[in-house]
Amino acid sequence: MARDDNSDRYPTLATKHKKVSRPNQFGASELGQYVDRLLAKEIIAIAQTYKAGSIVLPKLGDMREIVQSEIQAIAEAKCPGSVEVQQKYAKQYRVNVHSWSYGRLIQSIQSSGLKTLLYKG
């Protein structure tokens, strides 16, 4: 049987497993920075496409309290009547939820915006 030229597009289960189990090239914090840079680059590109004069980002000062309230509400709904189980659930939920540095994203957007301004100016 001749090998199909599209065989790389449709990897076998074994190939997929190898790709998934392979460690990535970034550490945890470097991966976050990489993602922030990609997001910043795309945000700047969108702003340029629409010829935006500025980019406005919301301030998330009360975000911790908001997230904590939401986690508590979810815990109470999942485990009604047991404060101890709710606390364990909330703790596990916080561990599982990806923490993300909004400040680092803002810095990436500002840096990318300045680079773009310098290159285009």
Side-chain angles (χ1 to χ4, degrees), residues 10-115:
Y10 307 104
T12 64
L13 183 58
T15 306
K16 280 185 182 179
H17 179 69
K18 287 178 186 174
K19 288 181 180 179
V20 170
S21 65
R22 185 176 59 209
N24 66 37
Q25 61 190 12
F26 301 106
S29 107
E30 289 173 345
L31 181 59
Q33 288 176 339
Y34 175 72
V35 170
D36 287 343
R37 287 182 189 134
L38 288 176
L39 287 170
K41 182 179 176 182
E42 289 304 313
I43 289 168
I44 298 299
I46 291 168
Q48 288 176 325
T49 299
Y50 291 98
K51 296 179 174 54
S54 63
I55 298 172
V56 178
L57 300 169
K59 292 184 180 179
L60 301 179
D62 297 327
M63 186 54 107
R64 264 181 220 236
E65 293 80 15
I66 292 168
V67 169
Q68 180 58 33
S69 297
E70 288 178 7
I71 291 171
Q72 186 60 37
I74 292 169
E76 288 172 4
K78 294 270 185 186
C79 315
S82 175
V83 175
E84 183 179 333
V85 175
Q86 289 174 10
Q87 288 173 343
K88 287 181 181 179
Y89 178 84
K91 182 178 180 182
Q92 187 61 40
Y93 189 88
R94 281 189 297 274
V95 167
N96 290 336
V97 172
H98 182 273
S99 64
W100 170 57
S101 175
Y102 186 68
R104 188 176 62 203
L105 175 62
I106 291 172
Q107 288 175 341
S108 293
I109 293 169
Q110 290 171 338
S111 174
S112 184
L114 286 174
K115 286 177 189 174

